[in-house]
Amino acid sequence: MENRIHLNKNLSLSRIIHGYWRLRDWNLSDQELLKLIEQVLELGITSFDHADIYGNYTCEEFFGRALALMPELREQMQLISKCGIRLSTDFNPELDVKIYEYSTEYIIKQAEASLKNLGTDRLDLLLLHRPAPFFNPEEVAKAFDHLKQSGKVVNFGVSNFTPMQFDSLQSYLDMPLATNQVELSVACLEHWENENIEFFQKHKIKPMAWSPLAGGKIFKPESQREYRLHSVLKEVAAELGVEAIDQVMYAWLLKHPVGILPIVGSQHIDRIKSAVDALKIDLSLQQWYKIWIASKGEDLP
């Protein structure tokens, strides 16, 4: 299986993406983080997923400090960020509750903050973090146009959008949205059920998958569904001759013809390598459906 996938003529991402949601919890020095970035690049992972809010607005700065130790690495990577969520924390003392904001000014402000914190002159991809009940697509279009024309952002997309939400925003834009980052795993079939997968295929959109290992809950099953999945994943792993069920979970996503790009959010290089090794695994159609049936808890109709 190819280690890269083209989202459009301007953007090619590694099939496995490294995510930095928990970077603040990793307690790495700048030098240790730089070493991890180098190891990830050596594995062929060139795409790095961030968001302005990660680590209460600190993770991008941590990454930028490490990258500043070897700035030439920037040309080997694609930097992805997200904006739109405003947390009710000490970073936003004026807020009593978390809100979503997609005004033109706020999107531009947050994109520029990400550029500063990451220590780069451009984002390869900027995503709107979540759909919002209060949303003006004209404001978003103005922000995207400004960021595109200024060269600060090369490509744009969304995260957690439904087909209608994606289509609605797309109708206001002059450039095609590059992707939709959604939760996909053997335990999260939501986007098969809400017709997002068919929407992606219709429009040739390659989705990014957050939480591709279902938050780790299948490794220590508690519910009947988790026990079913764990048992079948172990069975399929034995059939394939692989030791870890995480590789089967990644391979299940990678097998699908829609072209899913899993995000691996670990600091442990062996776990990251395990995801890359899943690119070599080719599940049979029967194995893929065994896992689907275990997740659904019923045979196909």
Side-chain angles (χ1 to χ4, degrees), residues 210-245:
W210 61 268
S211 198
L213 298 183
K217 57 189 177 184
I218 296 171
F219 300 108
K220 296 180 179 178
E222 296 181 358
S223 69
Q224 286 188 347
R225 184 189 191 203
E226 290 162 11
Y227 275 108
R228 281 197 315 269
L229 277 167
H230 186 270
S231 176
V232 169
L233 289 165
K234 291 281 283 186
E235 176 187 328
V236 172
E239 291 170 1
L240 294 166
V242 299
E243 293 183 7
I245 64 170

mmCIF file of all heavy atoms in Angstrom, residues 210-245:
data_model
loop_
_atom_site.group_PDB
_atom_site.id
_atom_site.type_symbol
_atom_site.label_atom_id
_atom_site.label_comp_id
_atom_site.label_asym_id
_atom_site.label_seq_id
_atom_site.Cartn_x
_atom_site.Cartn_y
_atom_site.Cartn_z
ATOM 1 N N TRP A 210 -9.527 10.587 13.239
ATOM 2 C CA TRP A 210 -9.019 10.741 14.601
ATOM 3 C C TRP A 210 -9.543 9.597 15.470
ATOM 4 O O TRP A 210 -10.554 8.995 15.169
ATOM 5 C CB TRP A 210 -9.352 12.107 15.182
ATOM 6 C CG TRP A 210 -10.791 12.510 15.348
ATOM 7 C CD1 TRP A 210 -11.567 13.197 14.460
ATOM 8 C CD2 TRP A 210 -11.616 12.323 16.518
ATOM 9 N NE1 TRP A 210 -12.820 13.432 14.980
ATOM 10 C CE2 TRP A 210 -12.874 12.910 16.242
ATOM 11 C CE3 TRP A 210 -11.413 11.715 17.750
ATOM 12 C CZ2 TRP A 210 -13.926 12.906 17.154
ATOM 13 C CZ3 TRP A 210 -12.448 11.712 18.672
ATOM 14 C CH2 TRP A 210 -13.684 12.300 18.372
ATOM 15 N N SER A 211 -8.803 9.299 16.521
ATOM 16 C CA SER A 211 -9.096 8.175 17.430
ATOM 17 C C SER A 211 -9.276 6.858 16.673
ATOM 18 O O SER A 211 -10.254 6.141 16.880
ATOM 19 C CB SER A 211 -10.342 8.476 18.271
ATOM 20 O OG SER A 211 -10.397 7.626 19.394
ATOM 21 N N PRO A 212 -8.317 6.490 15.799
ATOM 22 C CA PRO A 212 -8.464 5.266 15.014
ATOM 23 C C PRO A 212 -8.379 3.988 15.841
ATOM 24 O O PRO A 212 -8.764 2.920 15.365
ATOM 25 C CB PRO A 212 -7.304 5.345 14.014
ATOM 26 C CG PRO A 212 -6.274 6.179 14.710
ATOM 27 C CD PRO A 212 -7.055 7.197 15.492
ATOM 28 N N LEU A 213 -7.902 4.088 17.079
ATOM 29 C CA LEU A 213 -7.853 2.925 17.971
ATOM 30 C C LEU A 213 -8.959 2.979 19.024
ATOM 31 O O LEU A 213 -8.873 2.313 20.061
ATOM 32 C CB LEU A 213 -6.482 2.825 18.649
ATOM 33 C CG LEU A 213 -5.285 2.636 17.720
ATOM 34 C CD1 LEU A 213 -3.994 2.482 18.528
ATOM 35 C CD2 LEU A 213 -5.470 1.439 16.794
ATOM 36 N N ALA A 214 -9.990 3.779 18.744
ATOM 37 C CA ALA A 214 -11.173 3.855 19.621
ATOM 38 C C ALA A 214 -10.817 4.248 21.054
ATOM 39 O O ALA A 214 -11.410 3.748 22.012
ATOM 40 C CB ALA A 214 -11.929 2.525 19.604
ATOM 41 N N GLY A 215 -9.834 5.132 21.180
ATOM 42 C CA GLY A 215 -9.466 5.611 22.510
ATOM 43 C C GLY A 215 -8.834 4.554 23.395
ATOM 44 O O GLY A 215 -8.717 4.738 24.614
ATOM 45 N N GLY A 216 -8.427 3.433 22.813
ATOM 46 C CA GLY A 216 -7.763 2.379 23.575
ATOM 47 C C GLY A 216 -8.697 1.457 24.340
ATOM 48 O O GLY A 216 -8.242 0.495 24.978
ATOM 49 N N LYS A 217 -10.025 1.698 24.261
ATOM 50 C CA LYS A 217 -10.941 0.924 25.103
ATOM 51 C C LYS A 217 -11.033 -0.540 24.706
ATOM 52 O O LYS A 217 -11.382 -1.391 25.539
ATOM 53 C CB LYS A 217 -12.334 1.566 25.093
ATOM 54 C CG LYS A 217 -12.961 1.717 23.734
ATOM 55 C CD LYS A 217 -14.231 2.561 23.824
ATOM 56 C CE LYS A 217 -14.842 2.784 22.451
ATOM 57 N NZ LYS A 217 -16.028 3.678 22.533
ATOM 58 N N ILE A 218 -10.713 -0.877 23.449
ATOM 59 C CA ILE A 218 -10.816 -2.273 23.023
ATOM 60 C C ILE A 218 -9.673 -3.112 23.594
ATOM 61 O O ILE A 218 -9.773 -4.333 23.710
ATOM 62 C CB ILE A 218 -10.877 -2.364 21.487
ATOM 63 C CG1 ILE A 218 -12.154 -1.665 21.000
ATOM 64 C CG2 ILE A 218 -10.874 -3.804 20.985
ATOM 65 C CD1 ILE A 218 -12.240 -1.479 19.513
ATOM 66 N N PHE A 219 -8.576 -2.469 23.971
ATOM 67 C CA PHE A 219 -7.452 -3.207 24.556
ATOM 68 C C PHE A 219 -7.799 -3.723 25.959
ATOM 69 O O PHE A 219 -7.246 -4.717 26.420
ATOM 70 C CB PHE A 219 -6.199 -2.329 24.604
ATOM 71 C CG PHE A 219 -5.750 -1.850 23.255
ATOM 72 C CD1 PHE A 219 -5.896 -0.532 22.881
ATOM 73 C CD2 PHE A 219 -5.195 -2.741 22.340
ATOM 74 C CE1 PHE A 219 -5.484 -0.089 21.630
ATOM 75 C CE2 PHE A 219 -4.778 -2.312 21.090
ATOM 76 C CZ PHE A 219 -4.933 -0.982 20.728
ATOM 77 N N LYS A 220 -8.708 -3.010 26.640
ATOM 78 C CA LYS A 220 -9.182 -3.435 27.961
ATOM 79 C C LYS A 220 -10.708 -3.415 27.927
ATOM 80 O O LYS A 220 -11.340 -2.516 28.487
ATOM 81 C CB LYS A 220 -8.641 -2.510 29.055
ATOM 82 C CG LYS A 220 -7.119 -2.544 29.188
ATOM 83 C CD LYS A 220 -6.631 -1.609 30.275
ATOM 84 C CE LYS A 220 -5.112 -1.664 30.410
ATOM 85 N NZ LYS A 220 -4.621 -0.706 31.453
ATOM 86 N N PRO A 221 -11.299 -4.401 27.256
ATOM 87 C CA PRO A 221 -12.749 -4.360 27.006
ATOM 88 C C PRO A 221 -13.573 -4.412 28.287
ATOM 89 O O PRO A 221 -13.198 -5.081 29.255
ATOM 90 C CB PRO A 221 -12.981 -5.590 26.132
ATOM 91 C CG PRO A 221 -11.829 -6.514 26.409
ATOM 92 C CD PRO A 221 -10.673 -5.624 26.694
ATOM 93 N N GLU A 222 -14.693 -3.693 28.257
ATOM 94 C CA GLU A 222 -15.630 -3.706 29.379
ATOM 95 C C GLU A 222 -17.048 -4.064 28.914
ATOM 96 O O GLU A 222 -17.735 -4.820 29.583
ATOM 97 C CB GLU A 222 -15.632 -2.347 30.094
ATOM 98 C CG GLU A 222 -14.299 -2.009 30.749
ATOM 99 C CD GLU A 222 -14.319 -0.666 31.468
ATOM 100 O OE1 GLU A 222 -15.372 0.019 31.420
ATOM 101 O OE2 GLU A 222 -13.289 -0.302 32.072
ATOM 102 N N SER A 223 -17.456 -3.526 27.769
ATOM 103 C CA SER A 223 -18.805 -3.799 27.273
ATOM 104 C C SER A 223 -18.812 -5.065 26.422
ATOM 105 O O SER A 223 -17.763 -5.562 25.988
ATOM 106 C CB SER A 223 -19.302 -2.623 26.432
ATOM 107 O OG SER A 223 -18.562 -2.535 25.219
ATOM 108 N N GLN A 224 -20.009 -5.588 26.163
ATOM 109 C CA GLN A 224 -20.137 -6.767 25.302
ATOM 110 C C GLN A 224 -19.569 -6.491 23.918
ATOM 111 O O GLN A 224 -18.907 -7.356 23.332
ATOM 112 C CB GLN A 224 -21.611 -7.177 25.192
ATOM 113 C CG GLN A 224 -22.169 -7.848 26.432
ATOM 114 C CD GLN A 224 -23.566 -8.408 26.195
ATOM 115 O OE1 GLN A 224 -24.213 -8.091 25.199
ATOM 116 N NE2 GLN A 224 -24.031 -9.237 27.113
ATOM 117 N N ARG A 225 -19.844 -5.315 23.403
ATOM 118 C CA ARG A 225 -19.341 -4.964 22.073
ATOM 119 C C ARG A 225 -17.818 -4.964 22.050
ATOM 120 O O ARG A 225 -17.190 -5.463 21.112
ATOM 121 C CB ARG A 225 -19.875 -3.581 21.668
ATOM 122 C CG ARG A 225 -19.493 -3.173 20.253
ATOM 123 C CD ARG A 225 -19.855 -1.733 20.008
ATOM 124 N NE ARG A 225 -19.754 -1.380 18.603
ATOM 125 C CZ ARG A 225 -19.582 -0.131 18.170
ATOM 126 N NH1 ARG A 225 -19.495 0.872 19.035
ATOM 127 N NH2 ARG A 225 -19.495 0.128 16.884
ATOM 128 N N GLU A 226 -17.209 -4.388 23.069
ATOM 129 C CA GLU A 226 -15.745 -4.339 23.134
ATOM 130 C C GLU A 226 -15.156 -5.738 23.243
ATOM 131 O O GLU A 226 -14.123 -6.029 22.632
ATOM 132 C CB GLU A 226 -15.310 -3.449 24.302
ATOM 133 C CG GLU A 226 -15.598 -1.971 24.059
ATOM 134 C CD GLU A 226 -15.587 -1.142 25.333
ATOM 135 O OE1 GLU A 226 -15.160 -1.666 26.386
ATOM 136 O OE2 GLU A 226 -16.017 0.021 25.273
ATOM 137 N N TYR A 227 -15.801 -6.624 24.012
ATOM 138 C CA TYR A 227 -15.330 -8.006 24.104
ATOM 139 C C TYR A 227 -15.443 -8.717 22.756
ATOM 140 O O TYR A 227 -14.542 -9.468 22.363
ATOM 141 C CB TYR A 227 -16.117 -8.770 25.179
ATOM 142 C CG TYR A 227 -15.568 -8.597 26.573
ATOM 143 C CD1 TYR A 227 -16.247 -7.827 27.512
ATOM 144 C CD2 TYR A 227 -14.356 -9.192 26.944
ATOM 145 C CE1 TYR A 227 -15.742 -7.659 28.801
ATOM 146 C CE2 TYR A 227 -13.844 -9.019 28.224
ATOM 147 C CZ TYR A 227 -14.536 -8.255 29.145
ATOM 148 O OH TYR A 227 -14.023 -8.077 30.422
ATOM 149 N N ARG A 228 -16.541 -8.481 22.040
ATOM 150 C CA ARG A 228 -16.703 -9.076 20.715
ATOM 151 C C ARG A 228 -15.597 -8.619 19.777
ATOM 152 O O ARG A 228 -14.968 -9.429 19.082
ATOM 153 C CB ARG A 228 -18.055 -8.684 20.097
ATOM 154 C CG ARG A 228 -19.251 -9.432 20.565
ATOM 155 C CD ARG A 228 -20.428 -9.258 19.609
ATOM 156 N NE ARG A 228 -20.653 -7.886 19.167
ATOM 157 C CZ ARG A 228 -21.457 -7.018 19.775
ATOM 158 N NH1 ARG A 228 -22.099 -7.377 20.878
ATOM 159 N NH2 ARG A 228 -21.628 -5.807 19.283
ATOM 160 N N LEU A 229 -15.372 -7.319 19.761
ATOM 161 C CA LEU A 229 -14.346 -6.772 18.875
ATOM 162 C C LEU A 229 -12.967 -7.296 19.246
ATOM 163 O O LEU A 229 -12.180 -7.679 18.382
ATOM 164 C CB LEU A 229 -14.366 -5.235 18.922
ATOM 165 C CG LEU A 229 -15.392 -4.562 18.019
ATOM 166 C CD1 LEU A 229 -15.547 -3.092 18.384
ATOM 167 C CD2 LEU A 229 -14.969 -4.685 16.545
ATOM 168 N N HIS A 230 -12.661 -7.294 20.529
ATOM 169 C CA HIS A 230 -11.353 -7.763 20.977
ATOM 170 C C HIS A 230 -11.120 -9.202 20.537
ATOM 171 O O HIS A 230 -10.041 -9.556 20.036
ATOM 172 C CB HIS A 230 -11.246 -7.636 22.497
ATOM 173 C CG HIS A 230 -9.885 -7.954 23.034
ATOM 174 N ND1 HIS A 230 -9.507 -9.225 23.425
ATOM 175 C CD2 HIS A 230 -8.786 -7.169 23.219
ATOM 176 C CE1 HIS A 230 -8.265 -9.210 23.847
ATOM 177 N NE2 HIS A 230 -7.791 -7.972 23.742
ATOM 178 N N SER A 231 -12.139 -10.046 20.695
ATOM 179 C CA SER A 231 -12.020 -11.455 20.334
ATOM 180 C C SER A 231 -11.795 -11.628 18.831
ATOM 181 O O SER A 231 -10.906 -12.381 18.413
ATOM 182 C CB SER A 231 -13.284 -12.196 20.768
ATOM 183 O OG SER A 231 -13.241 -13.543 20.348
ATOM 184 N N VAL A 232 -12.571 -10.934 18.031
ATOM 185 C CA VAL A 232 -12.439 -11.067 16.577
ATOM 186 C C VAL A 232 -11.130 -10.462 16.082
ATOM 187 O O VAL A 232 -10.475 -11.014 15.184
ATOM 188 C CB VAL A 232 -13.655 -10.436 15.858
ATOM 189 C CG1 VAL A 232 -13.416 -10.326 14.356
ATOM 190 C CG2 VAL A 232 -14.910 -11.253 16.131
ATOM 191 N N LEU A 233 -10.721 -9.352 16.657
ATOM 192 C CA LEU A 233 -9.438 -8.743 16.268
ATOM 193 C C LEU A 233 -8.279 -9.687 16.586
ATOM 194 O O LEU A 233 -7.334 -9.805 15.793
ATOM 195 C CB LEU A 233 -9.254 -7.398 16.976
ATOM 196 C CG LEU A 233 -10.155 -6.258 16.482
ATOM 197 C CD1 LEU A 233 -10.146 -5.101 17.474
ATOM 198 C CD2 LEU A 233 -9.711 -5.770 15.096
ATOM 199 N N LYS A 234 -8.335 -10.365 17.729
ATOM 200 C CA LYS A 234 -7.302 -11.346 18.070
ATOM 201 C C LYS A 234 -7.309 -12.505 17.070
ATOM 202 O O LYS A 234 -6.253 -12.982 16.639
ATOM 203 C CB LYS A 234 -7.542 -11.881 19.490
ATOM 204 C CG LYS A 234 -7.306 -10.874 20.594
ATOM 205 C CD LYS A 234 -5.839 -10.678 20.923
ATOM 206 C CE LYS A 234 -5.299 -11.818 21.751
ATOM 207 N NZ LYS A 234 -3.902 -11.559 22.192
ATOM 208 N N GLU A 235 -8.495 -12.933 16.696
ATOM 209 C CA GLU A 235 -8.636 -14.027 15.736
ATOM 210 C C GLU A 235 -8.040 -13.643 14.385
ATOM 211 O O GLU A 235 -7.278 -14.418 13.787
ATOM 212 C CB GLU A 235 -10.122 -14.361 15.588
ATOM 213 C CG GLU A 235 -10.443 -15.425 14.560
ATOM 214 C CD GLU A 235 -11.938 -15.581 14.355
ATOM 215 O OE1 GLU A 235 -12.702 -15.366 15.329
ATOM 216 O OE2 GLU A 235 -12.361 -15.898 13.228
ATOM 217 N N VAL A 236 -8.370 -12.447 13.918
ATOM 218 C CA VAL A 236 -7.854 -11.988 12.618
ATOM 219 C C VAL A 236 -6.347 -11.770 12.692
ATOM 220 O O VAL A 236 -5.617 -12.104 11.754
ATOM 221 C CB VAL A 236 -8.584 -10.700 12.169
ATOM 222 C CG1 VAL A 236 -7.919 -10.100 10.931
ATOM 223 C CG2 VAL A 236 -10.054 -10.991 11.892
ATOM 224 N N ALA A 237 -5.857 -11.231 13.800
ATOM 225 C CA ALA A 237 -4.412 -11.039 13.964
ATOM 226 C C ALA A 237 -3.680 -12.371 13.859
ATOM 227 O O ALA A 237 -2.627 -12.468 13.210
ATOM 228 C CB ALA A 237 -4.120 -10.373 15.306
ATOM 229 N N ALA A 238 -4.243 -13.415 14.480
ATOM 230 C CA ALA A 238 -3.624 -14.752 14.402
ATOM 231 C C ALA A 238 -3.624 -15.266 12.970
ATOM 232 O O ALA A 238 -2.635 -15.853 12.513
ATOM 233 C CB ALA A 238 -4.365 -15.714 15.322
ATOM 234 N N GLU A 239 -4.704 -15.046 12.262
ATOM 235 C CA GLU A 239 -4.788 -15.477 10.861
ATOM 236 C C GLU A 239 -3.737 -14.773 10.003
ATOM 237 O O GLU A 239 -3.171 -15.358 9.077
ATOM 238 C CB GLU A 239 -6.175 -15.179 10.300
ATOM 239 C CG GLU A 239 -7.286 -16.031 10.894
ATOM 240 C CD GLU A 239 -8.675 -15.553 10.505
ATOM 241 O OE1 GLU A 239 -8.774 -14.558 9.761
ATOM 242 O OE2 GLU A 239 -9.654 -16.168 10.955
ATOM 243 N N LEU A 240 -3.482 -13.518 10.332
ATOM 244 C CA LEU A 240 -2.532 -12.712 9.551
ATOM 245 C C LEU A 240 -1.087 -12.907 10.011
ATOM 246 O O LEU A 240 -0.156 -12.460 9.336
ATOM 247 C CB LEU A 240 -2.897 -11.230 9.651
ATOM 248 C CG LEU A 240 -4.222 -10.810 9.014
ATOM 249 C CD1 LEU A 240 -4.614 -9.411 9.475
ATOM 250 C CD2 LEU A 240 -4.112 -10.852 7.490
ATOM 251 N N GLY A 241 -0.905 -13.526 11.172
ATOM 252 C CA GLY A 241 0.436 -13.708 11.699
ATOM 253 C C GLY A 241 1.032 -12.449 12.283
ATOM 254 O O GLY A 241 2.251 -12.269 12.294
ATOM 255 N N VAL A 242 0.188 -11.545 12.813
ATOM 256 C CA VAL A 242 0.684 -10.338 13.470
ATOM 257 C C VAL A 242 0.351 -10.428 14.955
ATOM 258 O O VAL A 242 -0.635 -11.056 15.355
ATOM 259 C CB VAL A 242 0.084 -9.056 12.860
ATOM 260 C CG1 VAL A 242 0.458 -8.934 11.398
ATOM 261 C CG2 VAL A 242 -1.425 -8.993 13.025
ATOM 262 N N GLU A 243 1.181 -9.800 15.766
ATOM 263 C CA GLU A 243 1.043 -9.942 17.215
ATOM 264 C C GLU A 243 0.024 -8.981 17.815
ATOM 265 O O GLU A 243 -0.682 -9.329 18.752
ATOM 266 C CB GLU A 243 2.405 -9.722 17.890
ATOM 267 C CG GLU A 243 3.428 -10.806 17.557
ATOM 268 C CD GLU A 243 4.737 -10.585 18.298
ATOM 269 O OE1 GLU A 243 4.778 -9.678 19.156
ATOM 270 O OE2 GLU A 243 5.705 -11.308 18.021
ATOM 271 N N ALA A 244 -0.038 -7.759 17.283
ATOM 272 C CA ALA A 244 -0.812 -6.710 17.945
ATOM 273 C C ALA A 244 -2.126 -6.431 17.229
ATOM 274 O O ALA A 244 -2.153 -6.301 16.000
ATOM 275 C CB ALA A 244 0.026 -5.431 18.024
ATOM 276 N N ILE A 245 -3.203 -6.304 18.016
ATOM 277 C CA ILE A 245 -4.497 -6.011 17.396
ATOM 278 C C ILE A 245 -4.580 -4.572 16.897
ATOM 279 O O ILE A 245 -5.428 -4.269 16.058
ATOM 280 C CB ILE A 245 -5.673 -6.314 18.342
ATOM 281 C CG1 ILE A 245 -5.638 -5.413 19.587
ATOM 282 C CG2 ILE A 245 -5.711 -7.779 18.712
ATOM 283 C CD1 ILE A 245 -6.915 -5.508 20.431
#
